[in-house]
Amino acid sequence: MIKLDIISDPICPWCYIGKANLDAAIEKVGTNPFQIEWRIFQLNPDMPSEGMDRKTYLESKFGGPERAKEIYGRIEGAAQDAGIQVKFDKIMRTPNTMDAHRLIRWSRTTGMQTALVEQLFRRYFEEGQDISDHETLTEAAVSVGMEREVVSELLTGDADRDLLRDEDTAAREMGVNGVPCFIVAGKYVVQGAQPPETWENIIRELLAAQDKAATEPAT
């Protein structure tokens, strides 16, 4: 398997679109060569822990509702092309995502990390759920087979907060200033929500390289 680190934030619409495009490419090729690990990037690292009213957030980030409407109109079009239905009108608050990232990290040990990330994307973008709310996060965790009592207890503490802040900082120092960012085999970077055709080409090239290496005589 080829390691694929995906640096993302569960409130990033382009991250959801990028995942959908990658999934479409894997389905088209008919095989998944990747061992995927999701890594932290907070779009809003200074967001208050309780989050912010969505309208206030959009106006402060984009300078007014008209500019926000223009930008999110383009995102909705890209989402539809990717086969997902984002419903921005259902989102009432923009959350702080640190607890969501903590949950994503804990899910690595279950083998269900990608399934959990998918849950968080769907709950936020399609159902308008507050993914900073501990009950919402716990329900998402339980839906992919994590233990309710363990998750609930961990969320009440500070486990892994400092570690994830350091990881976020390291990503920025490495040059990541936007997401999604895909790191293939620890050395090749694919930036942004690339179309399925791009990922098809990447996957086929990786598979061809693997086949070639497997048939070359040992030296």
Side-chain angles (χ1 to χ4, degrees):
M1 300 292 283
I2 300 165
K3 183 72 179 300
L4 178 62
D5 292 291
I6 306 179
I7 303 174
S8 74
D9 194 343
I11 63 165
C12 166
W14 290 112
C15 294
Y16 193 11
I17 293 166
K19 180 187 181 300
N21 287 344
L22 173 61
D23 289 344
I26 290 171
E27 184 176 357
K28 181 72 175 294
V29 174
T31 186
N32 180 6
F34 297 121
Q35 175 192 341
I36 295 175
E37 188 164 318
W38 294 83
R39 296 192 172 277
I40 184 173
F41 187 94
Q42 283 195 286
L43 290 177
N44 307 296
D46 298 322
M47 177 68 68
S49 59
E50 68 275 13
M52 182 184 295
D53 172 76
R54 176 75 171 174
K55 183 179 178 182
T56 302
Y57 168 75
L58 292 178
E59 290 183 355
S60 64
K61 189 175 183 71
F62 299 113
E66 291 306 315
R67 177 63 174 156
K69 184 177 180 180
E70 175 188 344
I71 291 171
Y72 278 88
R74 293 201 300 268
I75 293 172
E76 286 177 347
Q80 289 178 358
D81 290 343
I84 55 180
Q85 297 295 321
V86 294
K87 298 176 181 177
F88 293 118
D89 59 322
K90 287 191 173 184
I91 302 173
M92 297 294 103
R93 296 188 66 77
T94 299
N96 180 301
T97 56
M98 176 54 75
D99 283 341
H101 281 293
R102 291 202 297 153
L103 185 61
I104 291 168
R105 178 176 179 79
W106 300 331
S107 68
R108 288 180 190 173
T109 60
T110 70
M112 298 299 290
Q113 192 181 42
T114 294
L116 175 65
V117 170
E118 178 75 20
Q119 273 285 320
L120 296 177
F121 280 142
R122 287 182 177 178
R123 286 169 183 264
Y124 183 67
F125 287 110
E126 299 184 22
E127 300 174 20
Q129 294 187 23
D130 181 356
I131 59 169
S132 66
D133 175 73
H134 285 189
E135 184 58 31
T136 297
L137 290 173
T138 301
E139 291 302 323
V142 171
S143 75
V144 300
M146 297 176 72
E147 295 184 22
R148 180 184 298 275
E149 294 76 12
V150 174
V151 170
S152 295
E153 184 175 351
L154 283 170
L155 284 171
T156 61
D158 291 320
D160 291 332
R161 284 185 188 276
D162 290 342
L163 185 151
L164 286 168
R165 288 192 187 100
D166 289 345
E167 186 176 313
D168 189 320
T169 299
R172 295 171 197 274
E173 291 176 346
M174 189 173 67
V176 177
N177 54 25
V179 286
C181 179
F182 303 83
I183 303 175
V184 183
K187 51 186 177 180
Y188 304 113
V189 176
V190 179
Q191 187 70 49
Q194 297 295 327
E197 295 78 15
T198 298
W199 277 111
E200 285 177 40
N201 292 334
I202 291 170
I203 292 170
R204 294 186 193 281
E205 288 177 8
L206 290 169
L207 292 173
Q210 281 187 329
D211 290 341
K212 181 180 179 181
T215 57
E216 288 179 346
T219 57

